[in-house]
Amino acid sequence: MTLDEIVAAVRAAHAGHTPLRLRGAGSKDFYGGLLAGEVLDLSGHRGIVDYEPTELYVTAKCGTPLAEIEAALAERGQMLAFEPPRFAGATLGGCIAAGLSGPRRMQVGAVRDFVLGVKLVDGRGQVLNFGGQVMKNVAGYDVSRLIAGSLGTLGVVAEATLKVLPKPVAETTLEFACGADEAVRRLNDWGAQPLPVSASFWHEGRLWLRLSGAAAAVDAAARKLGGKTLADAGRIWEDIREQRHAAFVAPVLWRVALPSTAPALALDGLRAIEWGGALRWCAGEVDAAAIRAAAVAAGGHATLYRAPESLRCRVDPFTPLAPALLALHRRLKKVFDPAGILNPGRLYAEF
């Protein structure tokens, strides 16, 4: 599929007020609101457009599989540092639209922090360019980062430029036996120290801590922290990144973002703690109002991450917006997609 074909499809849908469901590999169909609209298959718009290892950026089309991009980066000792989940062929466009980051997010930042520029086809079929190929390229609103996490409701990410980073020289993973409250306390203590912590994960009484960086720094930190050194840690972090780990195996899964120092929520079903204590995963038929009230009381929010369609019909996947924020979202939607044809209801039912 060419850019011209994408533009033509969107313009036709705009003219006919035909809802479109933007789809790359469909690896995140479970995420967000219920799927609706005529499928616009973007998987054919693929390929790496530009890669400059010395300048630390890569530009690719939206249908390019993340695995293809990462293979090219690996040849030069580089990586997508935010470790996006690949979920059975995930594409670059879906990665940016969903805005999901992996274990290393606690050290380097989220997807939006690595988006340098996007070529966007808006709801009218206009081709818009935002950002560029370096960090200091923004004049006015940073729209390229706004697109991250918008679930395709503002436009088709036809092409994007991402910042890349060198792979760490050394990595080691330590394992500790502790409960959830102790894990949160330790993670916050370690987070306040100059330690090369790049990922953390707690599940059922075991806490894993990944150290990444210069060999001397990693070795010194490992000696200071103690714990058990794991020999086959790469497989563990890959399973966590791809959410194949047992902690994620549940029909209903809640993703709760909190301040890292927040104590355990007074709820059943805690399955995992990530990102230095800032991300908690809960499973089971937890009452939506109860878990969201508990999250707000702790200074965070809760997302219904994965659930059967019967539950997704009744519960908004994302925390309802305050009136002022909802008004702002509606204005943005009106500017980028005035006919409301792009991924209707995928982010919020109101648009």
Side-chain angles (χ1 to χ4, degrees), residues 328-350:
L328 180 59
H329 275 254
R330 281 177 167 155
R331 288 168 62 190
L332 284 169
K333 179 69 170 174
K334 192 70 174 176
V335 169
F336 283 94
D337 181 22
I341 63 168
L342 301 177
N343 280 1
R346 191 72 189 273
L347 189 59
Y348 291 103
E350 291 88 350

Side-chain angles (χ1 to χ4, degrees), residues 284-298:
E285 294 278 352
V286 183
D287 179 72
I291 193 169
R292 284 186 165 144
V296 169

Side-chain angles (χ1 to χ4, degrees), residues 68-95:
E68 182 179 319
I69 295 173
E70 291 188 302
L73 299 181
E75 290 180 0
R76 305 301 295 267
Q78 296 180 339
M79 64 179 179
L80 296 178
F82 53 94
E83 295 184 323
R86 291 180 291 261
F87 293 159
T91 61
L92 176 63
C95 162

Side-chain angles (χ1 to χ4, degrees), residues 13-334:
H14 174 73
H17 288 80
T18 304
L20 289 179
R21 173 183 151 200
L22 311 183
R23 188 179 190 275
S27 63
K28 301 175 188 68
D29 283 353
F30 68 89
Y31 185 59
L34 296 178
L35 306 176
E38 182 179 307
V39 174
L40 176 58
D41 187 351
L42 301 165
S43 60
H45 191 62
R46 60 186 292 174
I48 295 175
V49 176
D50 192 12
Y51 174 34
E52 290 293 340
T54 58
E55 299 297 328
L56 298 177
Y57 75 81
V58 62
T59 302
K61 297 176 182 178
C62 61
T64 312
L66 290 179
E68 182 179 319
I69 295 173
E70 291 188 302
L73 299 181
E75 290 180 0
R76 305 301 295 267
Q78 296 180 339
M79 64 179 179
L80 296 178
F82 53 94
E83 295 184 323
R86 291 180 291 261
F87 293 159
T91 61
L92 176 63
C95 162
I96 294 172
L100 299 178
S101 304
R104 205 181 299 269
R105 187 250 190 267
M106 65 174 290
Q107 182 190 48
V108 301
V111 177
R112 66 185 302 276
D113 300 308
F114 287 81
V115 179
L116 299 177
V118 295
K119 179 174 289 185
L120 191 75
V121 180
D122 73 4
R124 296 183 181 88
Q126 300 177 116
V127 179
L128 309 174
N129 289 284
F130 301 101
Q133 296 171 329
V134 295
M135 292 301 293
K136 294 182 179 179
N137 57 29
V138 179
Y141 296 108
D142 195 350
V143 175
S144 54
R145 296 188 184 190
L146 172 70
I147 298 303
S150 62
L151 284 177
T153 58
L154 301 180
V156 179
V157 180
E159 193 174 291
T161 298
L162 298 180
K163 178 176 68 172
V164 302
L165 291 180
K167 288 187 173 183
V169 175
E171 281 193 337
T172 193
T173 296
L174 306 176
E175 181 182 271
F176 305 85
C178 61
D181 289 337
E182 176 65 12
V184 171
R185 186 192 65 79
R186 290 189 184 191
L187 290 170
N188 279 279
D189 285 346
W190 295 334
Q193 301 177 45
L195 298 170
V197 177
S198 64
S200 63
F201 193 82
W202 177 91
H203 173 65
E204 292 186 348
R206 289 195 295 172
L207 172 63
W208 294 292
L209 193 74
R210 186 175 67 188
L211 305 173
S212 306
V218 169
D219 290 344
R223 288 194 301 270
K224 177 179 180 179
L225 295 174
K228 174 186 175 183
T229 302
L230 298 186
D232 189 22
R235 176 184 56 80
I236 293 174
W237 293 112
E238 186 71 9
D239 285 347
I240 292 169
R241 174 181 178 174
E242 299 303 319
Q243 297 183 352
R244 295 188 297 256
H245 190 277
F248 301 102
V249 180
V252 179
L253 195 61
W254 286 87
R255 185 177 185 268
V256 186
L258 300 170
S260 64
T261 55
L265 301 181
L267 298 165
D268 295 329
L270 178 65
R271 297 298 295 271
I273 301 172
E274 274 197 272
W275 298 354
L279 184 61
R280 322 283 173 94
W281 295 92
C282 297
E285 294 278 352
V286 183
D287 179 72
I291 193 169
R292 284 186 165 144
V296 169
H301 63 272
T303 298
L304 182 58
Y305 182 76
R306 182 185 291 119
E309 188 170 308
S310 58
L311 181 57
R312 292 167 70 193
C313 286
R314 305 193 312 269
V315 178
D316 291 330
F318 303 105
T319 300
L321 296 171
L325 282 176
L326 179 58
L328 180 59
H329 275 254
R330 281 177 167 155
R331 288 168 62 190
L332 284 169
K333 179 69 170 174
K334 192 70 174 176

